[in-house]
Amino acid sequence: MNSKEIRVISAVLLLALAIGMIIYRLSVREETPGTESFFGMNTIMTITAYGEFRDEALYSAKLTVSELENMFSVTIPDSDVSKINTADGESVGVDEKLVYITETALEYSALTDGAFDITMYPVSKLWGFDGGENRVPSDEEISEVLKNVGYKKISVDDKAMTISVPRGTGLDYGAIAKGYAEDETVRTLKNLNIESAIINFGGSISMIGSKPSGKPWVIAIKSPEGSGSAGTLALRDCSVVTSGKHERFFTDADGREYCHIMDPNTGRPVESEFDSITVICDSAMMGDALSTAFYVKGWEWALSYRSTHPGIELVGVSGLTVYLTEGIADSFTPAEGFEAVIR
Ligand code: ADP
Ligand code: MG
């Protein structure tokens, strides 16, 4: 080999090495997740994303969530929702997103016989679920407050972009805003070409694609006590949203439990033999609204809703039994001590 040939071979080897290094670095970047955990909408939010622009995506997603919280919060005094709640019946100009969510919330109220109702705020407050002191109110107090409840009291003008409620009525997007924020997060990540991510907003989970390895994500369904798992679901590209009695509740002197999901018919916390109901579908907002409504209406009602509205699967935990609809049954592995029943 003459020296020219040696130089050419060395150059080719160096080039191959450089290309190899670049590919390696890119693949490491693809396979190393970016994770962001923060407190928002009264819960811990965690986003894990893979892909070249994951850092930018996480930054943007966090910003989106905080903008939405400033709009939806009932505790931030100058949020759009607080303005509506304190306007004494006047119309309030709001962000178009709030108009959209409110119209969607009203659709879910109609679809669920009023079980999902964003005017439950005065009732939640009465029971101390607004951050105040939890207590069991009297029947008179409940019937007084129920006069202000009812989704049909909400007026939305989607041309003028205004919303109003009568004096005494209050809006609370606690059972839908988190889901909407999660759908917005999914859109934000997808716009930055993220093809693999998992988003967990306090028990409401959305997945983009699968794990980078191609394997499904593994989602735990909480056990009735809330600390362990009743089993796991192996899933990709969908949302899994749970409503249950042990997310937030209080216990009276006799040991009776009162949960934070209110029955609009009674003005009282839902009493259910189910510890939780989980909805699996392709939108966290839909899952959020429906899981709350199904918790109010009960498992059998949820099954009949599903039979006329395809595209949703259900998991219900009742003690040591986990009920599953047939479309999700194969993805479920019960934890030790739990029995899976297909319904
Ligand atoms: P989580 O907040 O644990 O995810 P949900 O999505 O079921 O649970 O939302 C429950 C919250 O929604 C309550 O804390 C309250 O703010 C509000 N809420 C309570 N009952 C209802 C109801 N029947 N319809 C709509 N919102 C409700
Ligand atoms: Mg909900």
Side-chain angles (χ1 to χ4, degrees), residues 133-214:
E133 185 122 359
N134 286 126
R135 69 183 185 94
V136 180
S138 69
D139 290 350
E140 292 72 35
E141 285 177 290
I142 293 171
S143 47
E144 197 49 42
V145 154
L146 272 180
K147 290 180 188 157
N148 298 320
V149 167
Y151 67 94
K152 291 182 180 155
K153 294 179 190 290
I154 307 172
S155 308
V156 185
D157 184 333
D158 56 13
K159 304 230 163 39
M161 294 289 170
T162 60
I163 296 177
S164 70
V165 294
R167 183 193 298 219
T169 299
L171 303 183
D172 166 15
Y173 293 74
I176 191 168
K178 224 163 58 181
Y180 176 74
E182 200 163 284
D183 284 348
E184 282 280 284
T185 302
V186 167
R187 285 188 277 271
T188 303
L189 298 188
K190 283 186 174 169
N191 282 341
L192 281 157
N193 294 333
I194 301 291
E195 289 172 358
S196 171
I198 183 158
I199 301 147
N200 185 346
F201 287 179
S204 162
I205 294 160
S206 287
M207 292 146 266
I208 298 179
S210 52
K211 287 183 185 175
S213 64

Side-chain angles (χ1 to χ4, degrees), residues 114-118 120 124 129 172-176 178 202 241-244 247-248 260-264 288 291-292 296:
F116 178 82
D117 191 328
I118 58 172
M120 289 305 286
S124 300
F129 282 114
D172 166 15
Y173 293 74
I176 191 168
K178 224 163 58 181
V241 189
T242 301
S243 280
E247 283 309 309
R248 235 165 342 126
H260 69 136
I261 302 169
M262 300 288 152
D263 185 337
D288 202 356
S291 64
T292 304
V296 174

Side-chain angles (χ1 to χ4, degrees), residues 32-275:
T32 320
T35 296
E36 190 73 66
S37 249
F38 50 99
F39 193 79
M41 299 188 168
N42 228 355
T43 189
I44 306 280
M45 306 189 141
T46 306
I47 308 171
T48 300
Y50 295 82
E52 197 180 346
F53 299 114
R54 54 169 205 240
D55 296 338
E56 296 81 347
L58 291 174
Y59 178 79
S60 244
K62 204 174 152 183
L63 216 61
T64 308
V65 172
S66 110
E67 271 169 24
L68 291 175
E69 178 161 23
N70 288 331
M71 194 185 299
F72 288 119
S73 171
V74 283
T75 50
I76 297 175
D78 66 349
S79 73
D80 280 359
V81 173
S82 294
K83 284 181 192 155
I84 299 168
N85 288 349
T86 55
D88 276 341
E90 296 294 319
S91 288
V92 176
V94 296
D95 192 283
E96 61 182 339
K97 287 181 179 159
L98 192 63
V99 169
Y100 165 72
I101 282 230
T102 308
E103 287 185 327
T104 310
L106 292 174
E107 281 166 27
Y108 284 114
S109 297
L111 283 168
T112 62
D113 275 351
F116 178 82
D117 191 328
I118 58 172
T119 64
M120 289 305 286
Y121 188 47
V123 178
S124 300
K125 244 170 136 167
L126 188 63
W127 290 82
F129 282 114
D130 62 334
E133 185 122 359
N134 286 126
R135 69 183 185 94
V136 180
S138 69
D139 290 350
E140 292 72 35
E141 285 177 290
I142 293 171
S143 47
E144 197 49 42
V145 154
L146 272 180
K147 290 180 188 157
N148 298 320
V149 167
Y151 67 94
K152 291 182 180 155
K153 294 179 190 290
I154 307 172
S155 308
V156 185
D157 184 333
D158 56 13
K159 304 230 163 39
M161 294 289 170
T162 60
I163 296 177
S164 70
V165 294
R167 183 193 298 219
T169 299
L171 303 183
D172 166 15
Y173 293 74
I176 191 168
K178 224 163 58 181
Y180 176 74
E182 200 163 284
D183 284 348
E184 282 280 284
T185 302
V186 167
R187 285 188 277 271
T188 303
L189 298 188
K190 283 186 174 169
N191 282 341
L192 281 157
N193 294 333
I194 301 291
E195 289 172 358
S196 171
I198 183 158
I199 301 147
N200 185 346
F201 287 179
S204 162
I205 294 160
S206 287
M207 292 146 266
I208 298 179
S210 52
K211 287 183 185 175
S213 64
K215 291 215 170 95
W217 301 100
V218 179
I219 312 293
I221 297 291
K222 273 190 192 168
S223 73
E225 303 80 44
S227 50
S229 143
T232 53
L233 289 165
L235 296 168
R236 52 190 104 220
D237 247 327
C238 63
S239 297
V240 180
V241 189
T242 301
S243 280
K245 62 170 115 177
H246 292 125
E247 283 309 309
R248 235 165 342 126
F249 68 100
F250 73 96
T251 313
D252 70 9
D254 302 328
R256 203 164 146 186
E257 289 178 350
Y258 301 91
C259 76
H260 69 136
I261 302 169
M262 300 288 152
D263 185 337
N265 275 322
T266 62
R268 297 175 173 280
V270 173
E271 289 177 38
S272 171
E273 70 273 31
F274 276 76
D275 298 284

